[in-house]
Amino acid sequence: MELFKSMNTNAGGNSSNSNKPVEKVKVLILGSGPAGYTAAIYAARANLSPVVYEGIQPGGQLTTTTEIENFPGYPNGITGNEMMEDLKKQAQRFGTDVRFGIASSTDLSSRPFKVTIDDEKVIEAEILIIATGATAKYLGLESEEKFKGQGVSACATCDGFFYRGKDVAVVGGGDTAAEEATYLAGLCNKVYLIVRKPYLRASKAMQERVMNTPNLEVLFEHVTKEIVGDMTGVNGVILTNTKTGEDVKKDISGFFVAIGHQPNSDIFKPWIETDEVGYIKTIPGTSKTNIPGVFACGDVQDPHYRQAITAAGSGCMAAIDAERYYAENK
Ligand code: NDP
């Protein structure tokens, strides 16, 4: 699910903004995952009166995960939703103004930075913290597009419920795919994990969990050729065994894509430097972007770690960098 609109970049297009109401804020934070809320907690405690726009997926990607067992301080684990609710409350406790709304375009050509929200109003911010996260990728098959929402999903924890007792497939070989496959195995009759390589990229612990789940079958060296179905939705998938070249059909009702993510940086691209994938470049060891006063944190700038704890840490860095910048450039 997209956190922030990417279709209307409207770079520098301030003329269309001329009739929109304008609100001035000190610190604007875009995104409400662990990075955005941690930045908000620190910025609020530093008297920077942050305003957070939550984006399309309030709480970010963690709200689509089940149990989080590796965030320090939770010996018994915590659900993604609970953690994000707690982070939001903590940010609000110190005065963060948390709002529904989606950033639809930006003009970062000069300070104050202009961010249009929902195509309706313009926020002029002295400081901008970008914490817009990343969005799930799809395979790009026509049949995948056709059955989106009718058997094709990128979020097992959101949609797995609908496939209780049925057979499903998950594509991908990383931690997300392994996690989603084991989660689905608890709900479904049978889960196929379709992996294009002869091995999983997931962590050893997740690999063990996959291999020890009896109703989960890993199909190594298989790629998806076509998702098949009818008016009622998906009823099968045709896979190609890349070793033998043979096609095989599996009868399934649900097809879950878990092949990684795309950073949500499109609306900033005219101004902010990104790498070739779209991850925002920051000066190493800081949250500083190429524009002084604009900081980035969390998955939108992190192609490597992408953990809740690293996102939270980088959100803290962004707020501290912002505080110092504000003190020097009031
Ligand atoms: P990854 O980038 O780690 O893995 C993507 C997987 O999808 C790879 O196996 C890749 O194959 C496969 N893939 C990519 N494109 C295609 C395609 N077109 N067709 C078939 N397969 C494809 O993404 P994840 O989302 O799994 O993880 C992202 C990061 O988040 C990682 O650092 C991960 O460790 C972390 N994470 C941690 C969790 C936790 O600690 N609880 C939970 C979830 C994620 P190939 O290997 O061939 O490139």
Side-chain angles (χ1 to χ4, degrees), residues 151 166-170 189-195 215-229 233-241 246-256:
K166 297 183 175 167
D167 291 359
V168 300
V170 177
N189 177 56
K190 165 107 193 187
V191 179
Y192 299 100
L193 180 57
I194 306 159
V195 183
N215 61 337
L216 201 173
E217 185 183 345
V218 187
L219 300 170
F220 288 111
E221 296 179 272
H222 280 72
V223 293
T224 309
K225 189 173 180 183
E226 212 66 69
I227 298 155
V228 289
V234 170
N235 58 32
V237 61
I238 299 166
L239 307 170
T240 305
N241 181 326
E246 279 171 19
D247 286 352
V248 50
K249 179 164 182 264
K250 298 288 179 193
D251 295 330
I252 53 156
S253 310
F255 183 83
F256 291 86

Side-chain angles (χ1 to χ4, degrees), residues 70 139 171-176 179 196-197 201 258-261 304-307:
N70 53 8
L139 295 172
V171 60
D175 278 316
T176 304
E179 199 175 81
R196 66 181 176 184
K197 291 218 171 107
R201 192 198 285 198
I259 61 166
H261 293 83
H304 301 296
Y305 302 106
R306 293 180 289 194
Q307 301 299 297

